[in-house]
Amino acid sequence: MTMKPSNNIWIRRQQCPCGDWKCYVKYEGDDQTSVSSQLIKNETTSTSSSSEAVFMPYVGQIFKTDEDAFEYYSNFARKNGFSIRKARSTESQNLGIYRRDFVCYRSGFNQPRKKANVEHPRDRKSVRCGCDAKLYLTKEIVNSVTQWYISQFSNVHNHELLEDDQVRLLPAYRKIQEADQERILLLSKAGFPVNRIVKVLELEKGVQPGQLPFIEKDVRNFVRTCKKSVQENDALLTEKRENDTLEFLEACKAMAERDADFVYDYTTDENSKVENISWSYADSVRAYTVFGDVVTFDTTYRSITYGLLLGVWFGIDNHGKPVFLGCALLQDESLNSFAWALQTFLRFMRGRCPQTVLTDIDSSLRDAIARELPDTKHVICSWHVHSKLSSWFMPSLGSQYEEFKAEFDMLCHLEGIEEFEHQWNHLVARFGLASDKHIALLFSYRTSWPLSYIRSYFLARSMTAEFYQSLDEFFKRILSGQTCLQLFFEQVWFAADLRNRSKEALQYMHTKTCLPIEENARSILTPYAFNALQHEIVQSMQYATTELANGSYLVRHYKKMEGEYLVIWISQDEQIHCSCKEFEHSGILCRHCLRVLTVKNYFEIPEKYILFRWRLESSLVALEDQNGQCNSDEYAQVFHSLAATLLTESLFTKERFNHVHRELTRLLEHVRNMPVSNEFASNMAANNISES
């Protein structure tokens, strides 16, 4: 088999951040992994189901072809703990091959070979022991139709038969499929030793160690056999990398000529070959001026074809959607490469540093951020932490893993640092993880990922599951189907271009309270931000306040006796601060502050507490139907008034109520069956938001 250097294959970074080169990460929620795992399960299921349908062969049994008979006997053999091989075949001038002999893999005896003239020849023991198990086929022609029947059969073995977990290791059943062959060659070319290649394949397919349909020896033999092919393709692959990189730079130059605001940079080694490349677009630089307060630097993927690490910068806009800010292709994961990426990104963004940067766990990246962004808060995204938990702890905890994960999730959301560290020690002791290297790794990064440590860091709601689903969709768009770097560059450009983003529909936002604060916020905030604030407004109505002597307030839930919050109110310049730090964390006022503002008879939220980044006016893409909100308000007022009158009139007697209920039910069914015009549907479909 020859390698196909035209394929550009992207994989998740699988080396564990613990530093142990033998340790790899299988990510939770990885579609590719789950699909591969499902394929393995399907293959296993189909194999087992087909073998269960195989009964013991018998003399006179008929098959259409000799290959059908061999497959049938092979399935029977695998189910019963042995394998078979093709022995003698007999042919005639008229019939061609008319007899096939299939025998047990231990049939016959090994014939001594002439030893090579070497000092220490290998003396291999033969597995053949004269086993007499066999199946002989004979061809016949009946009514001009060729068929094969079993003329002799014996199932008597003179050796022990193997168990299921042993029979799969027989050479006859150890197969490396073509897809796996290509993967093995690519990983081998990337410098992976054979034992690491096997580990990677196990992780990708979601199988336990030792459960691949082949063993390490098979991989080693395959790599050795294909070594010549790999060497022959090495020059082709090297040439492809150099040519594609040069084409990529030409594409950047052409883009810069078309768009003066497009920016890019690259570095070269001592041989003038490109090492690192980074670029950004005019829309991205403009978006950064509004949404550059919190950025995510995602380094999840790398290209094993080009040997490059992909790093993508994202912001989060006022609709909770990812905004592409920049991209980098790095030669490695070293401190210098990451430092160059950070320096270049800041230069693209005209020197303005973000308040917070979110990344995966990586010691080199952490050191680079500390050096290049000393005033920026560094946060390890909770999604990256949780995605590694099963790979880290499921093998050692087994059935206890789900319980461990539940307690770990609770631990992540504790608000106090002392409480976190106390519960952490309890968790480690309870599950016997004191010497676990991954627990030690997480604890060493504790100032960057648990809520108790980062609750005062501004994150702008960029650690929600919805946001990371959107990031995953972005990567699926740019990493699928490309065959070269230039096409990858074009796909990134298309995905990043704001003109290709769908316009955000201005949804009708129901009010859920009678508070003027809610009505005021609805006219200013995007639906995404308003929904978050509205949830806090609704919850604020369940809190009681106690004014302190200094003008501050203690705010407590009316049912919960523990968990009171201190809200500091400074009336001179309308400053309000809560001990929960929600505003500092998300840019949305918390329920405790909103409760105090209500007590203070505020009908509008102070201007400084409605951040520009969450306002309608900060949208990068024009909103659809700017008059839709007013129209929807008019419709809502009409229906509310009519419904209130109808309710009052229907409650006088039971007969009235039954009549109204019956007629409304009939009316609702009639309205649902009425056709809706496209124009009206587009304006109102998004407005039908549940208040649940």
Side-chain angles (χ1 to χ4, degrees), residues 468-498:
Y468 274 87
Q469 287 173 0
S470 298
L471 291 188
D472 190 53
E473 291 171 1
F474 180 90
F475 281 113
K476 287 179 180 178
R477 290 198 299 272
I478 69 171
L479 299 182
S480 61
Q482 74 286 91
T483 57
C484 63
L485 286 179
Q486 185 176 358
L487 183 55
F488 166 74
F489 175 73
E490 293 173 1
Q491 291 181 183
V492 172
W493 171 78
F494 185 83
D497 194 343
L498 292 177

PDB file of all heavy atoms in Angstrom, residues 468-498:
ATOM      1  N   TYR A 468     -19.712  26.386  23.174  1.00  0.00           N
ATOM      2  CA  TYR A 468     -18.734  25.406  22.706  1.00  0.00           C
ATOM      3  C   TYR A 468     -19.308  24.482  21.640  1.00  0.00           C
ATOM      4  O   TYR A 468     -18.567  23.961  20.805  1.00  0.00           O
ATOM      5  CB  TYR A 468     -18.142  24.632  23.881  1.00  0.00           C
ATOM      6  CG  TYR A 468     -16.978  25.413  24.446  1.00  0.00           C
ATOM      7  CD1 TYR A 468     -17.184  26.380  25.416  1.00  0.00           C
ATOM      8  CD2 TYR A 468     -15.703  25.250  23.923  1.00  0.00           C
ATOM      9  CE1 TYR A 468     -16.137  27.140  25.888  1.00  0.00           C
ATOM     10  CE2 TYR A 468     -14.647  26.007  24.385  1.00  0.00           C
ATOM     11  CZ  TYR A 468     -14.861  26.952  25.369  1.00  0.00           C
ATOM     12  OH  TYR A 468     -13.824  27.715  25.812  1.00  0.00           O
ATOM     13  N   GLN A 469     -20.609  24.320  21.619  1.00  0.00           N
ATOM     14  CA  GLN A 469     -21.224  23.611  20.498  1.00  0.00           C
ATOM     15  C   GLN A 469     -21.060  24.414  19.213  1.00  0.00           C
ATOM     16  O   GLN A 469     -20.813  23.856  18.139  1.00  0.00           O
ATOM     17  CB  GLN A 469     -22.700  23.358  20.791  1.00  0.00           C
ATOM     18  CG  GLN A 469     -22.941  22.276  21.835  1.00  0.00           C
ATOM     19  CD  GLN A 469     -24.403  22.170  22.223  1.00  0.00           C
ATOM     20  OE1 GLN A 469     -25.254  22.898  21.711  1.00  0.00           O
ATOM     21  NE2 GLN A 469     -24.705  21.276  23.151  1.00  0.00           N
ATOM     22  N   SER A 470     -21.182  25.728  19.339  1.00  0.00           N
ATOM     23  CA  SER A 470     -20.997  26.602  18.171  1.00  0.00           C
ATOM     24  C   SER A 470     -19.554  26.556  17.676  1.00  0.00           C
ATOM     25  O   SER A 470     -19.298  26.572  16.468  1.00  0.00           O
ATOM     26  CB  SER A 470     -21.386  28.037  18.519  1.00  0.00           C
ATOM     27  OG  SER A 470     -22.748  28.120  18.880  1.00  0.00           O
ATOM     28  N   LEU A 471     -18.588  26.496  18.609  1.00  0.00           N
ATOM     29  CA  LEU A 471     -17.187  26.368  18.209  1.00  0.00           C
ATOM     30  C   LEU A 471     -16.957  25.059  17.466  1.00  0.00           C
ATOM     31  O   LEU A 471     -16.250  25.017  16.447  1.00  0.00           O
ATOM     32  CB  LEU A 471     -16.271  26.421  19.442  1.00  0.00           C
ATOM     33  CG  LEU A 471     -16.142  27.743  20.183  1.00  0.00           C
ATOM     34  CD1 LEU A 471     -15.052  27.634  21.247  1.00  0.00           C
ATOM     35  CD2 LEU A 471     -15.834  28.890  19.248  1.00  0.00           C
ATOM     36  N   ASP A 472     -17.560  23.996  17.972  1.00  0.00           N
ATOM     37  CA  ASP A 472     -17.412  22.689  17.335  1.00  0.00           C
ATOM     38  C   ASP A 472     -17.968  22.715  15.911  1.00  0.00           C
ATOM     39  O   ASP A 472     -17.383  22.146  14.992  1.00  0.00           O
ATOM     40  CB  ASP A 472     -18.117  21.628  18.178  1.00  0.00           C
ATOM     41  CG  ASP A 472     -17.803  20.220  17.711  1.00  0.00           C
ATOM     42  OD1 ASP A 472     -16.617  19.881  17.592  1.00  0.00           O
ATOM     43  OD2 ASP A 472     -18.752  19.451  17.471  1.00  0.00           O
ATOM     44  N   GLU A 473     -19.101  23.388  15.724  1.00  0.00           N
ATOM     45  CA  GLU A 473     -19.686  23.509  14.385  1.00  0.00           C
ATOM     46  C   GLU A 473     -18.768  24.301  13.454  1.00  0.00           C
ATOM     47  O   GLU A 473     -18.650  23.986  12.259  1.00  0.00           O
ATOM     48  CB  GLU A 473     -21.057  24.184  14.485  1.00  0.00           C
ATOM     49  CG  GLU A 473     -22.113  23.321  15.173  1.00  0.00           C
ATOM     50  CD  GLU A 473     -23.382  24.087  15.460  1.00  0.00           C
ATOM     51  OE1 GLU A 473     -23.433  25.299  15.086  1.00  0.00           O
ATOM     52  OE2 GLU A 473     -24.306  23.515  16.055  1.00  0.00           O
ATOM     53  N   PHE A 474     -18.112  25.320  13.991  1.00  0.00           N
ATOM     54  CA  PHE A 474     -17.178  26.111  13.185  1.00  0.00           C
ATOM     55  C   PHE A 474     -16.033  25.232  12.687  1.00  0.00           C
ATOM     56  O   PHE A 474     -15.664  25.268  11.503  1.00  0.00           O
ATOM     57  CB  PHE A 474     -16.627  27.280  14.014  1.00  0.00           C
ATOM     58  CG  PHE A 474     -15.660  28.162  13.266  1.00  0.00           C
ATOM     59  CD1 PHE A 474     -16.101  29.260  12.560  1.00  0.00           C
ATOM     60  CD2 PHE A 474     -14.299  27.882  13.267  1.00  0.00           C
ATOM     61  CE1 PHE A 474     -15.215  30.067  11.866  1.00  0.00           C
ATOM     62  CE2 PHE A 474     -13.401  28.678  12.579  1.00  0.00           C
ATOM     63  CZ  PHE A 474     -13.862  29.774  11.877  1.00  0.00           C
ATOM     64  N   PHE A 475     -15.465  24.421  13.586  1.00  0.00           N
ATOM     65  CA  PHE A 475     -14.351  23.555  13.193  1.00  0.00           C
ATOM     66  C   PHE A 475     -14.791  22.502  12.184  1.00  0.00           C
ATOM     67  O   PHE A 475     -14.024  22.141  11.290  1.00  0.00           O
ATOM     68  CB  PHE A 475     -13.744  22.891  14.428  1.00  0.00           C
ATOM     69  CG  PHE A 475     -12.827  23.795  15.205  1.00  0.00           C
ATOM     70  CD1 PHE A 475     -13.161  24.213  16.475  1.00  0.00           C
ATOM     71  CD2 PHE A 475     -11.646  24.245  14.645  1.00  0.00           C
ATOM     72  CE1 PHE A 475     -12.328  25.058  17.191  1.00  0.00           C
ATOM     73  CE2 PHE A 475     -10.802  25.095  15.348  1.00  0.00           C
ATOM     74  CZ  PHE A 475     -11.145  25.504  16.627  1.00  0.00           C
ATOM     75  N   LYS A 476     -16.006  22.010  12.313  1.00  0.00           N
ATOM     76  CA  LYS A 476     -16.488  21.039  11.336  1.00  0.00           C
ATOM     77  C   LYS A 476     -16.574  21.657   9.944  1.00  0.00           C
ATOM     78  O   LYS A 476     -16.340  20.981   8.935  1.00  0.00           O
ATOM     79  CB  LYS A 476     -17.859  20.510  11.755  1.00  0.00           C
ATOM     80  CG  LYS A 476     -17.815  19.547  12.938  1.00  0.00           C
ATOM     81  CD  LYS A 476     -19.204  19.079  13.319  1.00  0.00           C
ATOM     82  CE  LYS A 476     -19.138  18.121  14.494  1.00  0.00           C
ATOM     83  NZ  LYS A 476     -20.493  17.679  14.932  1.00  0.00           N
ATOM     84  N   ARG A 477     -16.884  22.957   9.888  1.00  0.00           N
ATOM     85  CA  ARG A 477     -16.988  23.624   8.589  1.00  0.00           C
ATOM     86  C   ARG A 477     -15.612  23.818   7.941  1.00  0.00           C
ATOM     87  O   ARG A 477     -15.473  23.681   6.735  1.00  0.00           O
ATOM     88  CB  ARG A 477     -17.690  24.976   8.728  1.00  0.00           C
ATOM     89  CG  ARG A 477     -19.165  24.895   9.055  1.00  0.00           C
ATOM     90  CD  ARG A 477     -19.861  26.203   8.745  1.00  0.00           C
ATOM     91  NE  ARG A 477     -19.333  27.315   9.510  1.00  0.00           N
ATOM     92  CZ  ARG A 477     -19.759  27.674  10.718  1.00  0.00           C
ATOM     93  NH1 ARG A 477     -20.717  26.971  11.305  1.00  0.00           N
ATOM     94  NH2 ARG A 477     -19.239  28.700  11.360  1.00  0.00           N
ATOM     95  N   ILE A 478     -14.612  24.139   8.750  1.00  0.00           N
ATOM     96  CA  ILE A 478     -13.311  24.487   8.160  1.00  0.00           C
ATOM     97  C   ILE A 478     -12.366  23.295   8.042  1.00  0.00           C
ATOM     98  O   ILE A 478     -11.368  23.376   7.320  1.00  0.00           O
ATOM     99  CB  ILE A 478     -12.613  25.615   8.951  1.00  0.00           C
ATOM    100  CG1 ILE A 478     -12.168  25.122  10.336  1.00  0.00           C
ATOM    101  CG2 ILE A 478     -13.491  26.838   9.055  1.00  0.00           C
ATOM    102  CD1 ILE A 478     -11.286  26.111  11.066  1.00  0.00           C
ATOM    103  N   LEU A 479     -12.660  22.188   8.726  1.00  0.00           N
ATOM    104  CA  LEU A 479     -11.730  21.055   8.712  1.00  0.00           C
ATOM    105  C   LEU A 479     -12.248  19.882   7.899  1.00  0.00           C
ATOM    106  O   LEU A 479     -11.711  18.789   7.981  1.00  0.00           O
ATOM    107  CB  LEU A 479     -11.444  20.582  10.141  1.00  0.00           C
ATOM    108  CG  LEU A 479     -10.800  21.604  11.079  1.00  0.00           C
ATOM    109  CD1 LEU A 479     -10.534  20.987  12.428  1.00  0.00           C
ATOM    110  CD2 LEU A 479      -9.506  22.148  10.483  1.00  0.00           C
ATOM    111  N   SER A 480     -13.287  20.078   7.141  1.00  0.00           N
ATOM    112  CA  SER A 480     -13.855  18.965   6.377  1.00  0.00           C
ATOM    113  C   SER A 480     -13.622  19.169   4.888  1.00  0.00           C
ATOM    114  O   SER A 480     -13.860  20.247   4.354  1.00  0.00           O
ATOM    115  CB  SER A 480     -15.366  18.863   6.641  1.00  0.00           C
ATOM    116  OG  SER A 480     -16.025  20.043   6.243  1.00  0.00           O
ATOM    117  N   GLY A 481     -13.116  18.143   4.248  1.00  0.00           N
ATOM    118  CA  GLY A 481     -13.093  18.110   2.787  1.00  0.00           C
ATOM    119  C   GLY A 481     -11.936  18.797   2.101  1.00  0.00           C
ATOM    120  O   GLY A 481     -11.826  18.741   0.888  1.00  0.00           O
ATOM    121  N   GLN A 482     -11.038  19.467   2.841  1.00  0.00           N
ATOM    122  CA  GLN A 482      -9.972  20.153   2.130  1.00  0.00           C
ATOM    123  C   GLN A 482      -8.820  19.200   1.830  1.00  0.00           C
ATOM    124  O   GLN A 482      -8.571  18.250   2.553  1.00  0.00           O
ATOM    125  CB  GLN A 482      -9.472  21.383   2.896  1.00  0.00           C
ATOM    126  CG  GLN A 482      -8.600  21.097   4.119  1.00  0.00           C
ATOM    127  CD  GLN A 482      -9.387  20.592   5.279  1.00  0.00           C
ATOM    128  OE1 GLN A 482      -9.539  19.410   5.416  1.00  0.00           O
ATOM    129  NE2 GLN A 482      -9.864  21.472   6.123  1.00  0.00           N
ATOM    130  N   THR A 483      -8.125  19.463   0.734  1.00  0.00           N
ATOM    131  CA  THR A 483      -7.002  18.611   0.339  1.00  0.00           C
ATOM    132  C   THR A 483      -5.681  19.356   0.397  1.00  0.00           C
ATOM    133  O   THR A 483      -4.638  18.761   0.201  1.00  0.00           O
ATOM    134  CB  THR A 483      -7.213  18.089  -1.088  1.00  0.00           C
ATOM    135  OG1 THR A 483      -7.374  19.205  -1.971  1.00  0.00           O
ATOM    136  CG2 THR A 483      -8.444  17.206  -1.160  1.00  0.00           C
ATOM    137  N   CYS A 484      -5.706  20.659   0.637  1.00  0.00           N
ATOM    138  CA  CYS A 484      -4.463  21.426   0.716  1.00  0.00           C
ATOM    139  C   CYS A 484      -4.681  22.637   1.604  1.00  0.00           C
ATOM    140  O   CYS A 484      -5.808  22.985   1.967  1.00  0.00           O
ATOM    141  CB  CYS A 484      -4.008  21.867  -0.673  1.00  0.00           C
ATOM    142  SG  CYS A 484      -5.165  22.989  -1.488  1.00  0.00           S
ATOM    143  N   LEU A 485      -3.582  23.294   1.955  1.00  0.00           N
ATOM    144  CA  LEU A 485      -3.661  24.444   2.854  1.00  0.00           C
ATOM    145  C   LEU A 485      -4.391  25.619   2.212  1.00  0.00           C
ATOM    146  O   LEU A 485      -5.073  26.378   2.904  1.00  0.00           O
ATOM    147  CB  LEU A 485      -2.250  24.878   3.270  1.00  0.00           C
ATOM    148  CG  LEU A 485      -1.532  23.985   4.280  1.00  0.00           C
ATOM    149  CD1 LEU A 485      -0.137  24.533   4.575  1.00  0.00           C
ATOM    150  CD2 LEU A 485      -2.330  23.875   5.567  1.00  0.00           C
ATOM    151  N   GLN A 486      -4.243  25.775   0.900  1.00  0.00           N
ATOM    152  CA  GLN A 486      -4.905  26.889   0.239  1.00  0.00           C
ATOM    153  C   GLN A 486      -6.422  26.762   0.340  1.00  0.00           C
ATOM    154  O   GLN A 486      -7.124  27.750   0.606  1.00  0.00           O
ATOM    155  CB  GLN A 486      -4.480  26.974  -1.225  1.00  0.00           C
ATOM    156  CG  GLN A 486      -5.050  28.202  -1.948  1.00  0.00           C
ATOM    157  CD  GLN A 486      -4.532  28.319  -3.363  1.00  0.00           C
ATOM    158  OE1 GLN A 486      -3.717  27.512  -3.803  1.00  0.00           O
ATOM    159  NE2 GLN A 486      -5.006  29.318  -4.091  1.00  0.00           N
ATOM    160  N   LEU A 487      -6.951  25.553   0.150  1.00  0.00           N
ATOM    161  CA  LEU A 487      -8.385  25.342   0.280  1.00  0.00           C
ATOM    162  C   LEU A 487      -8.825  25.534   1.731  1.00  0.00           C
ATOM    163  O   LEU A 487      -9.899  26.074   1.992  1.00  0.00           O
ATOM    164  CB  LEU A 487      -8.759  23.947  -0.211  1.00  0.00           C
ATOM    165  CG  LEU A 487     -10.255  23.602  -0.211  1.00  0.00           C
ATOM    166  CD1 LEU A 487     -11.046  24.633  -0.994  1.00  0.00           C
ATOM    167  CD2 LEU A 487     -10.490  22.216  -0.789  1.00  0.00           C
ATOM    168  N   PHE A 488      -7.990  25.104   2.664  1.00  0.00           N
ATOM    169  CA  PHE A 488      -8.270  25.347   4.081  1.00  0.00           C
ATOM    170  C   PHE A 488      -8.371  26.850   4.351  1.00  0.00           C
ATOM    171  O   PHE A 488      -9.273  27.314   5.056  1.00  0.00           O
ATOM    172  CB  PHE A 488      -7.164  24.726   4.934  1.00  0.00           C
ATOM    173  CG  PHE A 488      -7.157  25.174   6.369  1.00  0.00           C
ATOM    174  CD1 PHE A 488      -8.113  24.721   7.264  1.00  0.00           C
ATOM    175  CD2 PHE A 488      -6.181  26.052   6.835  1.00  0.00           C
ATOM    176  CE1 PHE A 488      -8.108  25.144   8.584  1.00  0.00           C
ATOM    177  CE2 PHE A 488      -6.172  26.473   8.147  1.00  0.00           C
ATOM    178  CZ  PHE A 488      -7.132  26.019   9.025  1.00  0.00           C
ATOM    179  N   PHE A 489      -7.450  27.624   3.786  1.00  0.00           N
ATOM    180  CA  PHE A 489      -7.463  29.078   3.946  1.00  0.00           C
ATOM    181  C   PHE A 489      -8.765  29.669   3.422  1.00  0.00           C
ATOM    182  O   PHE A 489      -9.377  30.550   4.051  1.00  0.00           O
ATOM    183  CB  PHE A 489      -6.270  29.679   3.206  1.00  0.00           C
ATOM    184  CG  PHE A 489      -6.224  31.179   3.200  1.00  0.00           C
ATOM    185  CD1 PHE A 489      -5.903  31.890   4.346  1.00  0.00           C
ATOM    186  CD2 PHE A 489      -6.514  31.891   2.050  1.00  0.00           C
ATOM    187  CE1 PHE A 489      -5.866  33.276   4.336  1.00  0.00           C
ATOM    188  CE2 PHE A 489      -6.483  33.267   2.027  1.00  0.00           C
ATOM    189  CZ  PHE A 489      -6.156  33.961   3.181  1.00  0.00           C
ATOM    190  N   GLU A 490      -9.238  29.175   2.278  1.00  0.00           N
ATOM    191  CA  GLU A 490     -10.485  29.681   1.700  1.00  0.00           C
ATOM    192  C   GLU A 490     -11.685  29.330   2.572  1.00  0.00           C
ATOM    193  O   GLU A 490     -12.616  30.135   2.720  1.00  0.00           O
ATOM    194  CB  GLU A 490     -10.663  29.105   0.292  1.00  0.00           C
ATOM    195  CG  GLU A 490      -9.627  29.620  -0.706  1.00  0.00           C
ATOM    196  CD  GLU A 490      -9.725  28.913  -2.048  1.00  0.00           C
ATOM    197  OE1 GLU A 490     -10.612  28.038  -2.186  1.00  0.00           O
ATOM    198  OE2 GLU A 490      -8.920  29.236  -2.951  1.00  0.00           O
ATOM    199  N   GLN A 491     -11.679  28.120   3.146  1.00  0.00           N
ATOM    200  CA  GLN A 491     -12.794  27.722   4.011  1.00  0.00           C
ATOM    201  C   GLN A 491     -12.828  28.548   5.286  1.00  0.00           C
ATOM    202  O   GLN A 491     -13.902  28.897   5.781  1.00  0.00           O
ATOM    203  CB  GLN A 491     -12.691  26.221   4.334  1.00  0.00           C
ATOM    204  CG  GLN A 491     -12.957  25.350   3.126  1.00  0.00           C
ATOM    205  CD  GLN A 491     -12.876  23.863   3.434  1.00  0.00           C
ATOM    206  OE1 GLN A 491     -13.013  23.037   2.548  1.00  0.00           O
ATOM    207  NE2 GLN A 491     -12.650  23.507   4.674  1.00  0.00           N
ATOM    208  N   VAL A 492     -11.654  28.870   5.837  1.00  0.00           N
ATOM    209  CA  VAL A 492     -11.598  29.739   7.014  1.00  0.00           C
ATOM    210  C   VAL A 492     -12.133  31.117   6.664  1.00  0.00           C
ATOM    211  O   VAL A 492     -12.919  31.713   7.417  1.00  0.00           O
ATOM    212  CB  VAL A 492     -10.159  29.838   7.558  1.00  0.00           C
ATOM    213  CG1 VAL A 492     -10.069  30.897   8.658  1.00  0.00           C
ATOM    214  CG2 VAL A 492      -9.697  28.490   8.102  1.00  0.00           C
ATOM    215  N   TRP A 493     -11.734  31.642   5.511  1.00  0.00           N
ATOM    216  CA  TRP A 493     -12.206  32.966   5.099  1.00  0.00           C
ATOM    217  C   TRP A 493     -13.729  32.987   4.962  1.00  0.00           C
ATOM    218  O   TRP A 493     -14.393  33.914   5.419  1.00  0.00           O
ATOM    219  CB  TRP A 493     -11.555  33.351   3.770  1.00  0.00           C
ATOM    220  CG  TRP A 493     -12.161  34.599   3.167  1.00  0.00           C
ATOM    221  CD1 TRP A 493     -11.931  35.887   3.532  1.00  0.00           C
ATOM    222  CD2 TRP A 493     -13.144  34.645   2.124  1.00  0.00           C
ATOM    223  NE1 TRP A 493     -12.702  36.746   2.775  1.00  0.00           N
ATOM    224  CE2 TRP A 493     -13.455  36.007   1.904  1.00  0.00           C
ATOM    225  CE3 TRP A 493     -13.785  33.676   1.364  1.00  0.00           C
ATOM    226  CZ2 TRP A 493     -14.373  36.404   0.946  1.00  0.00           C
ATOM    227  CZ3 TRP A 493     -14.690  34.076   0.408  1.00  0.00           C
ATOM    228  CH2 TRP A 493     -14.971  35.425   0.204  1.00  0.00           C
ATOM    229  N   PHE A 494     -14.279  31.955   4.339  1.00  0.00           N
ATOM    230  CA  PHE A 494     -15.728  31.916   4.145  1.00  0.00           C
ATOM    231  C   PHE A 494     -16.450  31.833   5.490  1.00  0.00           C
ATOM    232  O   PHE A 494     -17.459  32.504   5.707  1.00  0.00           O
ATOM    233  CB  PHE A 494     -16.105  30.716   3.274  1.00  0.00           C
ATOM    234  CG  PHE A 494     -17.573  30.663   2.931  1.00  0.00           C
ATOM    235  CD1 PHE A 494     -18.082  31.400   1.875  1.00  0.00           C
ATOM    236  CD2 PHE A 494     -18.450  29.892   3.685  1.00  0.00           C
ATOM    237  CE1 PHE A 494     -19.434  31.372   1.561  1.00  0.00           C
ATOM    238  CE2 PHE A 494     -19.806  29.853   3.384  1.00  0.00           C
ATOM    239  CZ  PHE A 494     -20.300  30.596   2.315  1.00  0.00           C
ATOM    240  N   ALA A 495     -15.939  31.008   6.410  1.00  0.00           N
ATOM    241  CA  ALA A 495     -16.590  30.848   7.716  1.00  0.00           C
ATOM    242  C   ALA A 495     -16.459  32.104   8.570  1.00  0.00           C
ATOM    243  O   ALA A 495     -17.333  32.397   9.387  1.00  0.00           O
ATOM    244  CB  ALA A 495     -15.985  29.654   8.457  1.00  0.00           C
ATOM    245  N   ALA A 496     -15.364  32.862   8.361  1.00  0.00           N
ATOM    246  CA  ALA A 496     -15.130  34.051   9.181  1.00  0.00           C
ATOM    247  C   ALA A 496     -15.814  35.297   8.630  1.00  0.00           C
ATOM    248  O   ALA A 496     -16.044  36.259   9.370  1.00  0.00           O
ATOM    249  CB  ALA A 496     -13.624  34.311   9.290  1.00  0.00           C
ATOM    250  N   ASP A 497     -16.161  35.299   7.356  1.00  0.00           N
ATOM    251  CA  ASP A 497     -16.740  36.476   6.715  1.00  0.00           C
ATOM    252  C   ASP A 497     -18.122  36.770   7.298  1.00  0.00           C
ATOM    253  O   ASP A 497     -19.034  35.944   7.220  1.00  0.00           O
ATOM    254  CB  ASP A 497     -16.844  36.244   5.208  1.00  0.00           C
ATOM    255  CG  ASP A 497     -17.124  37.533   4.442  1.00  0.00           C
ATOM    256  OD1 ASP A 497     -17.546  38.524   5.088  1.00  0.00           O
ATOM    257  OD2 ASP A 497     -16.943  37.551   3.218  1.00  0.00           O
ATOM    258  N   LEU A 498     -18.272  37.948   7.869  1.00  0.00           N
ATOM    259  CA  LEU A 498     -19.543  38.318   8.498  1.00  0.00           C
ATOM    260  C   LEU A 498     -20.683  38.382   7.490  1.00  0.00           C
ATOM    261  O   LEU A 498     -21.850  38.217   7.857  1.00  0.00           O
ATOM    262  CB  LEU A 498     -19.399  39.673   9.207  1.00  0.00           C
ATOM    263  CG  LEU A 498     -18.480  39.703  10.435  1.00  0.00           C
ATOM    264  CD1 LEU A 498     -18.384  41.121  10.983  1.00  0.00           C
ATOM    265  CD2 LEU A 498     -18.993  38.753  11.514  1.00  0.00           C
TER     266      LEU A 498
END
